[in-house]
Structures are given as structure tokens and as C-alpha cells.
Amino acid sequence: MRWFFLRFSFTRKRTSICEEGGVVHEVVERILKASIEEFSEKGYAAASTNSIAKKAKVSKGLLFHYFKSKENLYIECYKHVLSWSKKKFEEFAKQVKNEDFFEFIKKWGLQKITLAIENPVYSKFLLTVTNLSPKLRAIVLGLIREALLDSREILLEKIKSVKLRRGISEEDALKFITAVFDGVANSYLDQYRDKPEELLNNLERIMVESDKLMDLIKFGILDREPQQLHREV
Amino acid sequence: MRWFFLRFSFTRKRTSICEEGGVVHEVVERILKASIEEFSEKGYAAASTNSIAKKAKVSKGLLFHYFKSKENLYIECYKHVLSWSKKKFEEFAKQVKNEDFFEFIKKWGLQKITLAIENPVYSKFLLTVTNLSPKLRAIVLGLIREALLDSREILLEKIKSVKLRRGISEEDALKFITAVFDGVANSYLDQYRDKPEELLNNLERIMVESDKLMDLIKFGILDREPQQLHREV
């Protein structure tokens, strides 16, 4: 598995580690890799900074020199994984920029599943947010919201080309679609988390199911008479 | 908060604790209550059977006499919470049995949110499933699937009264609706987990949003021409 090291900045007031040069970069990267593994394996509370230092082959002192606290270390890990996932989305958006809105969404859903399978440690790490203290969770949820802003921009731009029913805003439609696709992607991941190869073998079936899902999103589930067509919400 | 003790049975071959009478019942109930609290607070890996025994005011020996292993204890906790939630669904289904399918679903979504807020420990406990070992998670996911079977029966019976578009099966429609409502309920809970009172104050707004959501589910998001009405899937 390849490890991506993208952008790195502290939330607290202090010099960014990036500015300290290449050698430090390498050490910090090693600590992050080890931390993400440890957190995803044990969750936040049970993760041990002792094992992280050991895995990263650094002293515990150096670890705390760079990251100050376990909490801060966790936050930096989250930023790292989010910026990886942001980069992935941007690469994807460039690749499929000529597809229509619905194809774009469908393919991104599929891409998310594939990424989660190729990076089981990352996707498991992202799940650790459910067992945090209220304070730490609030910080992390803030980071997630921020990370989603850019992709929302791209999607809102794309959805403008879709002729929506009267009374449905682009925001509403987007919220609906992402909720449906997130829900379904999560249920696939739950189902296959421990047998990823099976999921990869079933991608074709999942594509067919996605088409069905998209049809439900576009046209709803109800049979309706022509006079109901332009029913106001 | 009231604690419900409903049904209790071991997965392994051994005499059910239920058969051993009232005093044992009370001890077992106390251990379960303490365990659910501990697991929901720390997650499975970090939970300590020492603190559970202490909280439940029993010896660690007695705890292991009844529950054999930490793994088994966790499984029994899960069964306990699932049978509580099953009982809640059955009570609800009886109360609103005269409502049409869509009202039924909407109200159940709302009820689930209310229950999660009234029982924060239970709802947090249910989330601990994301950080289990593959083997333990497989067992728990099996329990969840089994628990959902009865409510599925009720919903499938109800959805028969809905006139669905051609090509959409009752199973498909139900899968779609539950995915949408689960996704949305989860996003509310994520948003408000640490300020439940706010969510309870906003129930009216959530009802309005649910109506909008139901409209999207029923009629989809696309504007369409009459000739597209009976489009085959």
C-alpha cells in the first residue's frame, strides 16, 4: 500500500512542521503512518503512544515534541487522511469531468468503495470518530465539514444542468442523493469489510444496483397519474 | 433512565441463565447494565472487565461464571439492547397500525431518533460494532440481521398497499426507503449527539424535513414528460 503525505499544519499556534525541512518530514510521516495504524486498530481510547513510538522507531519524547498530545496527534492523523481523500476526489473529478451529473455521482460512489477497500487502514481509521469524547469529536466533525466544502462546490456546479421538479432546490437534491449513496456505500462496506476481494469481484453487480438506485432517485417509487406530475411540494 | 431486561439466552451450549431464577436474574441484570455502560464509554477493546465487576458490585469470578469471556459478555449485551429495540418497534407498530405506509415510516424514523436521545448509552453502545475484530463483528452483524427480520415482515406487509411504479419490487422500494431514512437519522444523530436537547427542540423542523424527504422518495427529483411516466427500469 502506498502512503500519501500531502499537507500538514497544526491547529495550535506554532511553526508548521513542513517548514522544518525534509528529514523532519520523513520522521513525521513515519509517526503519522504508525499512528493511523494504531488508532484504526484499537480506537482512540485504547491506542497507546508507547506502541506508536515503537512502531515508528522514534523516542516517545520526539513524538511529543512534534505532536504535543495524543489528542493533537489524532487530529493530525485525521487531517492527513482527509487531505488524501480530498486529493483522490479531485483526481477523480478531473478524470470524469465530461460525464453528466448522475454518471458522475454513480462513479464516485463506486470509486469510494474501491478506495475504502484499497486502503482498509484509512477507512477503518475514519470510523474511529464514533467513539471520541464530545470535545474531540466536535473538532473532527469540523474538519470533515470543511473537507467536504470543495467537493460540494463541484457537485453543485454539476447539478445545475439537471432539470429538477418544481419546488426542489439544487441543495435539497444534492443532500438527498448523497444521503442515499452514502447509506448504500456504507451498507456494502459493512457487509464486505472482512472479505474485500468478494466486493471487488461483485463490482459489476453493484453497478447494476447503482443504476436501479439512480432510477429511484430520478423518478421516485410511486406510480402517478399525469395530473400529479407537477405537484407542488 | 429505565433499564429493560427482556430476554436472555446464551449462544453457546449451556443452561440459560433465565432458568436459574430471580436472584441470579438480578445479578445478571446488574452486570449487563454495568457492561453496556463500560463498552459504550470505552469501546470493546479498551473496556475493562475489572471496572465492570466493580461497577456491578460483583466479583470478577462471578462475572466470568455467568458470562465465560469478555467476548461472550459483549454478545449478551448486544442481544439485550437489540431485544429492547425490538420491543420498542413492536410497541410502536401497535400504536400506529392504522397509519398508511409512508406515515408509518416517517413516524418510526422520528421515534428512532427520540429513542436514541432518551437512551444515549444504548445508542452509543450500538455504535461500538464498528471497532470489533472481524470474527466478533460477524457474530454481531448476524444478530442485527436476525433482529431486523420481524420488523421487515411488518413493513413488507404494509408496503403492499402502495401502488409502485412498474418494474419496482416491494423489496427494492423498502430497501431504498430504509436506506434513505437510516442515512438521514444517522446524520441528525451525528450532528446532535452532544446536544440532545437541541434535537428534541427541533423535532418539528425535522418533521417538515421528513415530509420533504418522503416527497423525494415518492416522486423522485426529476421533472419529466408524461410520455416518460411509465418508463421501464
Side-chain angles (χ1 to χ4, degrees), chain A residues 137 165 194 215 220 224 231, chain B residues 165 194 215 220 224 231:
Chain A
R137 185 171 43 245
R165 258 200 302 132
D194 307 312
D215 180 84
R224 48 174 162 162
R231 183 173 165 284
Chain B
R165 261 201 300 132
D194 308 312
D215 180 86
R224 48 174 161 162
R231 184 173 165 282

Side-chain angles (χ1 to χ4, degrees), chain A residues 88-118:
Chain A
K88 285 293 167 183
F89 179 77
E90 283 164 0
E91 284 171 10
F92 167 83
K94 229 179 265 172
Q95 262 172 40
V96 297
K97 68 167 183 282
N98 296 323
E99 299 278 14
D100 80 11
F101 173 75
F102 294 109
E103 275 303 306
F104 186 96
I105 289 277
K106 235 176 55 195
K107 286 191 174 148
W108 176 237
L110 207 68
Q111 179 83 340
K112 275 204 285 194
I113 293 176
T114 316
L115 286 175
I117 288 169
E118 285 170 357

Side-chain angles (χ1 to χ4, degrees), chain B residues 117 192-203:
Chain B
I117 288 169
Y192 292 102
R193 192 170 305 140
D194 308 312
K195 35 188 174 175
E197 332 72 48
E198 247 181 72
L199 179 46
L200 287 179
N201 292 336
N202 282 330
L203 280 186

Side-chain angles (χ1 to χ4, degrees), chain B:
Chain B
M1 187 190 306
R2 279 180 62 209
W3 290 86
F4 299 85
F5 187 78
L6 300 164
R7 217 158 22 117
F8 199 77
S9 66
F10 275 87
T11 34
R12 316 277 164 91
K13 274 173 262 162
R14 83 199 288 281
T15 321
S16 162
I17 285 178
C18 278
E19 294 163 21
E20 294 180 28
V23 179
V24 172
H25 230 130
E26 197 268 327
V27 172
V28 164
E29 188 170 354
R30 225 161 60 217
I31 297 174
L32 281 177
K33 178 178 183 303
S35 306
I36 292 170
E37 280 177 6
E38 173 83 2
F39 285 129
S40 63
E41 210 173 289
K42 301 188 185 162
Y44 178 75
S48 135
T49 48
N50 278 325
S51 355
I52 292 172
K54 218 168 155 181
K55 260 188 216 165
K57 292 180 180 128
V58 298
S59 71
K60 213 173 150 184
L62 198 65
L63 190 156
F64 280 93
H65 169 72
Y66 286 130
F67 291 94
K68 275 177 109 171
S69 64
K70 185 180 174 186
E71 201 179 87
N72 197 45
L73 178 57
Y74 181 83
I75 291 170
E76 292 306 325
C77 288
Y78 226 98
K79 283 189 191 168
H80 179 68
V81 176
L82 284 177
S83 73
W84 168 81
S85 109
K86 192 183 156 190
K87 195 186 159 215
K88 285 293 166 186
F89 179 77
E90 283 164 0
E91 284 172 9
F92 166 84
K94 231 180 261 173
Q95 264 172 38
V96 297
K97 68 169 184 282
N98 296 324
E99 300 277 15
D100 82 7
F101 174 75
F102 294 109
E103 275 303 305
F104 186 95
I105 289 276
K106 235 175 57 195
K107 288 192 172 147
W108 176 236
L110 207 67
Q111 178 84 341
K112 273 203 286 193
I113 292 174
T114 317
L115 286 175
I117 288 169
E118 285 171 357
N119 298 276
V121 178
Y122 275 22
S123 73
K124 226 175 148 190
F125 174 80
L126 290 170
L127 290 175
T128 56
V129 70
T130 52
N131 283 91
L132 301 175
S133 70
K135 188 192 144 212
L136 189 49
R137 184 168 46 246
I139 294 172
V140 171
L141 291 180
L143 291 176
I144 295 174
R145 254 193 305 281
E146 209 181 291
L148 289 176
L149 282 183
D150 292 347
S151 57
R152 263 185 66 79
E153 278 297 300
I154 295 180
L155 292 173
L156 270 178
E157 194 48 47
K158 271 226 163 278
I159 207 175
K160 283 191 183 137
S161 59
V162 174
K163 203 176 169 211
L164 296 170
R165 261 201 300 132
R166 259 196 286 175
I168 299 175
S169 71
E170 284 148 5
E171 297 268 346
D172 286 343
L174 196 57
K175 217 163 110 185
F176 181 59
I177 293 170
T178 48
V180 175
F181 269 84
D182 279 358
V184 172
N186 284 341
S187 81
Y188 280 129
L189 290 173
D190 266 355
Q191 217 175 317
Y192 292 102
R193 192 170 305 140
D194 308 312
K195 35 188 174 175
E197 332 72 48
E198 247 181 72
L199 179 46
L200 287 179
N201 292 336
N202 282 330
L203 280 186
E204 215 162 306
R205 190 174 58 71
I206 291 176
M207 277 305 263
V208 175
E209 283 179 15
S210 295
D211 280 332
K212 246 169 132 177
L213 201 63
M214 208 44 107
D215 180 86
L216 293 174
I217 290 172
K218 284 178 181 172
F219 302 104
I221 64 168
L222 273 201
D223 199 17
R224 48 174 161 162
E225 304 302 318
Q227 63 270 27
Q228 281 180 286
L229 249 186
H230 289 294
R231 184 173 165 282
E232 289 283 343
V233 184

